[in-house]
Amino acid sequence: MSPGAQLLPDGPVVERLATGATWSEGPLWIPDERAVRWSDIPGNRILRWDAATGVAGVHRTDVEFTNGRLLDPDGTVVQCSHGLRRLEREHPDGTTTELVADWNGHRLNSPNDVARAPDGSYWFTDPDYGIVQPNEGHPGEHEYGDCRVFRWSPVDGLTSVIDDIDRPNGIAFSPDGLTVYVTDTASGLGDGPGHWIRAYDVTGPRASNGRHFATIDAGLPDGIAVDVEGRVWSSAGDGIHVFDEEGTELLFVPVPEVVANVCFGGDDGTDLFIAATTSLYRLRTSTRSPG
Ligand code: MG
């Protein structure tokens, strides 16, 4: 039995909740709706699975290739837009407003995933998939030259916080907010060697002491989620890999499709929702989201 087996009350059983997407990403549990919202990026739409009925459908279409998202304390959704190369807010009526789209006069590449820091700022990754992959955005130029992790707040504006990852992708904070984890998916398109997760110390608006945390050998670690006890649940080509705070692997859960991203949710926060290629899956766990 693996050291993490106690994390799965029903065993390593993934339940397919919905299918029919092209490339699923950016899952988010919305408690007030008891629903999961996620992106079908090449389909240029946002999908929604309703926990009460078990039925999935289309939330919105023509969404400018949105990707990762989070729930703001005010109940709106903050999400990454490949197509508009920005971080944006989606309001309950479905309209969106820009939060930030440029850095020092240069357009962002294509924001991919976002996490909220304890100080209320948003940290997001900005790889270039939305400008180099025509089915995930609009072909465009790298205006500032590389790919970074940024921090944005209404008060402080936009600052670059991490610049030593070739293709930063997934991002999540530890429960105490003192560590931020960022994945590097550069090896996917041959843009670098990265297929691993890095960790950084967080001191207010700064990240420092970047270090290797864990490697995913089967495919890539795209999106990640951290549980209430600080474990890191990572996507991979073959399923879900779970690491303790030291980066030691505790658990592997196979998933039938390539996994792009995960989030905790459900009524008590213990369900792991898995965005995996064409489908949304659920894994019952005995841990829960930090929130
Ligand atoms: Mg991603």
Side-chain angles (χ1 to χ4, degrees):
M1 198 161 100
S2 73
Q6 80 285 353
L7 293 170
L8 305 178
D10 299 339
V13 178
V14 295
E15 174 188 3
R16 191 162 78 174
L17 303 175
T19 193
T22 303
W23 179 246
S24 296
E25 249 282 14
L28 172 67
W29 170 258
I30 301 178
D32 287 352
E33 298 182 16
R34 299 189 65 233
V36 176
R37 195 180 291 182
W38 80 102
S39 298
D40 176 11
I41 301 177
N44 198 14
R45 57 187 185 160
I46 299 171
L47 304 176
R48 180 180 183 276
W49 174 81
D50 186 296
T53 62
V55 173
V58 175
H59 170 65
R60 283 202 301 128
T61 56
D62 299 318
V63 294
E64 287 292 352
F65 306 93
T66 59
N67 192 336
R69 51 181 52 79
L70 60 74
L71 189 65
D72 215 34
D74 70 3
T76 62
V77 170
V78 171
Q79 63 195 11
C80 297
S81 171
H82 284 190
L84 296 176
R85 302 175 68 161
R86 70 182 190 178
L87 192 67
E88 66 184 22
R89 185 183 303 282
E90 181 174 329
H91 303 276
D93 65 2
T95 60
T96 60
T97 50
E98 177 179 306
L99 296 177
V100 63
D102 64 85
W103 180 51
N104 293 337
H106 303 291
R107 297 177 77 190
L108 299 173
N109 297 322
S110 53
N112 189 292
D113 213 346
V114 58
R116 192 170 183 274
D119 67 4
S121 62
Y122 306 100
W123 293 43
F124 63 94
T125 59
D126 190 35
D128 56 2
Y129 299 114
I131 57 174
V132 301
Q133 300 195 120
N135 66 337
E136 292 207 357
H138 307 299
E141 300 297 318
H142 299 77
E143 295 200 5
Y144 64 82
D146 54 10
C147 301
R148 295 175 180 240
V149 179
F150 292 101
R151 173 188 183 273
W152 180 84
S153 81
V155 174
D156 302 330
L158 190 70
T159 54
S160 167
V161 285
I162 295 171
D163 64 2
D164 65 352
I165 296 180
D166 289 323
R167 294 297 181 279
N169 196 322
I171 183 166
F173 287 92
S174 60
D176 62 11
L178 297 177
T179 304
V180 66
Y181 300 96
V182 182
T183 73
D184 183 352
T185 51
S187 67
L189 293 182
D191 296 316
H195 54 101
W196 46 64
I197 305 169
R198 288 177 61 77
Y200 299 79
D201 297 337
V202 177
T203 311
R206 279 178 293 280
S208 61
N209 188 30
R211 58 212 183 259
H212 181 268
F213 175 73
T215 296
I216 294 291
D217 288 315
L220 300 166
D222 191 329
I224 51 177
V226 173
D227 71 27
V228 67
E229 289 170 359
R231 303 178 197 91
V232 177
W233 297 64
S234 178
S235 55
D238 57 354
I240 308 293
H241 295 258
V242 185
F243 302 92
D244 69 13
E245 292 170 303
E246 308 301 318
T248 301
E249 184 160 350
L250 301 173
L251 180 68
F252 166 63
V253 181
V255 176
E257 300 183 77
V258 172
V259 178
N261 213 334
V262 294
C263 74
F264 282 98
D267 291 333
D268 57 5
T270 64
D271 293 338
L272 189 77
F273 293 100
I274 302 165
T277 312
T278 68
S279 305
L280 180 73
Y281 295 86
R282 175 171 57 194
L283 174 68
R284 306 285 193 183
T285 81
S286 57
T287 185
R288 59 182 171 82
S289 58

